[in-house]
Amino acid sequence: MQGHSLQRHLILDYLRNTGEHPTAERIAEALSRGGHAASTSNLYRNLTILVAGGQVRRLSLDDGPDRFDANLDPHYHVTCTRCNRVWDVAIQEGDRCDLALPEGFRPGVWEITVRGICAACARGPHPFES
Amino acid sequence: MQGHSLQRHLILDYLRNTGEHPTAERIAEALSRGGHAASTSNLYRNLTILVAGGQVRRLSLDDGPDRFDANLDPHYHVTCTRCNRVWDVAIQEGDRCDLALPEGFRPGVWEITVRGICAACARGPHPFES
DNA sequence: GTACATGCAAAAAGTTTGCCGACTC
DNA sequence: GAGTCGGCAAACTTTTTGCATGTAC
């Protein structure tokens, strides 16, 4: 975890400490709030470097902007189609996912996203935004 | 399956008869080849209508353009990270995917994508393109 | 002083929208 | 003739790139 510029450190810290999967825009807001505003271009450049270094994953879960995720533990994603929030859910004892892969295919990363309605949205009236 | 214009019919036919998950660009090429070229704008408009009508699914599997899929049977996706091709793999007897979802979450669509290296790419030298 | 880091502006890629004319019933 | 359909061009959003300046060691 050496060799990162300050900005890159801050991005990584933020990603590690937020439970969300922020978009680039939200990351920029967070940096700004912390008094270390970053230009969009450099933010993306740094995110690209972090992704290339394997410290961050880039997710294209929905039609909006990409989301970034510093949780490298095996997990899957649960997204609410009403409020658009995304949760990490760690793989737990008892979870299984055995699928018949094609002959000769060498699996790498498994990406599992379950779309549905979260508990909050299922209850209350639609809150319009995450 | 009524009420579709000719162009929309052709798009749907093409999507149903190709084993691939073409991008809008590839669909346009196919229509063109068939002598029914469509403007990009109307192609997207029609795809949007088909998606809204539930006859087609829109996939954002990688960083490139969206892909469209008229296979509505339960299936998951396998993509080769070298040649970028995408396959549908039908759920088979013996497949299982039981995950512990959060309390109160009402699951809808499950999206499972397995990234890896396909048999062809694992063998030969890198073919550079799908 | 070489290599990395940053910001700004411009470009690129993918997709959507506005507008207007054509076709359908 | 109201509503759908289609094309073209322009807009828009997200992300990347070029370039010139600034910083680190």
Side-chain angles (χ1 to χ4, degrees):
Chain A
M1 306 295 133
Q2 310 277 40
H4 285 315
S5 68
L6 172 62
Q7 186 173 111
R8 216 139 64 216
H9 255 299
L10 294 172
I11 294 169
L12 195 47
D13 279 358
Y14 175 64
L15 284 175
R16 286 188 176 149
N17 295 326
T18 179
E20 301 182 15
H21 292 60
T23 60
E25 198 183 359
R26 278 203 191 285
I27 297 170
E29 287 163 14
L31 294 184
S32 229
R33 249 180 276 121
H36 291 274
S39 65
T40 314
S41 60
N42 219 50
L43 175 55
Y44 275 107
R45 253 190 294 248
N46 278 326
L47 285 167
T48 303
I49 290 170
L50 290 168
V51 169
Q55 278 134 67
V56 168
R57 287 208 293 154
R58 186 175 198 150
L59 312 171
S60 307
L61 295 180
D62 45 27
D63 41 342
D66 289 354
R67 290 160 178 275
F68 296 87
D69 179 4
N71 177 356
L72 301 173
D73 297 332
H75 65 277
Y76 56 97
H77 295 116
V78 172
T79 93
C80 176
T81 51
R82 280 204 213 165
C83 65
N84 273 323
R85 278 180 294 186
V86 179
W87 294 264
D88 272 3
V89 184
I91 302 286
Q92 297 175 25
E93 186 113 15
D95 287 346
R96 294 194 45 183
C97 200
D98 299 331
L99 302 177
L101 294 173
E103 266 300 304
F105 187 84
R106 300 190 195 158
V109 182
W110 289 60
E111 269 165 33
I112 302 181
T113 304
V114 184
R115 294 176 196 281
I117 311 288
C118 73
C121 283
R123 261 198 310 277
H126 185 178
F128 279 114
E129 248 299 324
S130 58
Chain B
M1 305 297 131
Q2 309 277 41
H4 285 316
S5 68
L6 172 61
Q7 188 174 109
R8 217 138 66 215
H9 255 300
L10 293 172
I11 294 170
L12 194 48
D13 278 358
Y14 175 64
L15 284 174
R16 287 188 174 150
N17 295 326
T18 180
E20 300 181 17
H21 292 59
T23 60
E25 198 184 358
R26 278 202 191 284
I27 297 170
E29 287 163 14
L31 293 184
S32 230
R33 253 180 274 119
H36 291 275
S39 67
T40 313
S41 60
N42 219 49
L43 175 54
Y44 275 107
R45 252 190 294 247
N46 278 326
L47 286 167
T48 303
I49 289 170
L50 290 168
V51 169
Q55 277 134 67
V56 167
R57 286 209 292 155
R58 187 176 195 146
L59 313 170
S60 308
L61 296 180
D62 45 27
D63 42 340
D66 288 354
R67 290 161 179 273
F68 297 88
D69 180 4
N71 177 356
L72 301 174
D73 297 332
H75 65 276
Y76 56 97
H77 294 117
V78 172
T79 93
C80 176
T81 51
R82 282 207 211 163
C83 66
N84 274 323
R85 277 179 294 186
V86 179
W87 294 264
D88 272 2
V89 185
I91 304 286
Q92 296 175 27
E93 186 113 17
D95 287 346
R96 293 196 44 185
C97 198
D98 299 331
L99 302 177
L101 295 174
E103 266 300 303
F105 187 83
R106 299 190 195 159
V109 182
W110 289 60
E111 270 166 32
I112 303 182
T113 304
V114 185
R115 295 176 195 280
I117 310 289
C118 72
C121 284
R123 261 197 311 275
H126 185 177
F128 278 113
E129 249 299 325
S130 56

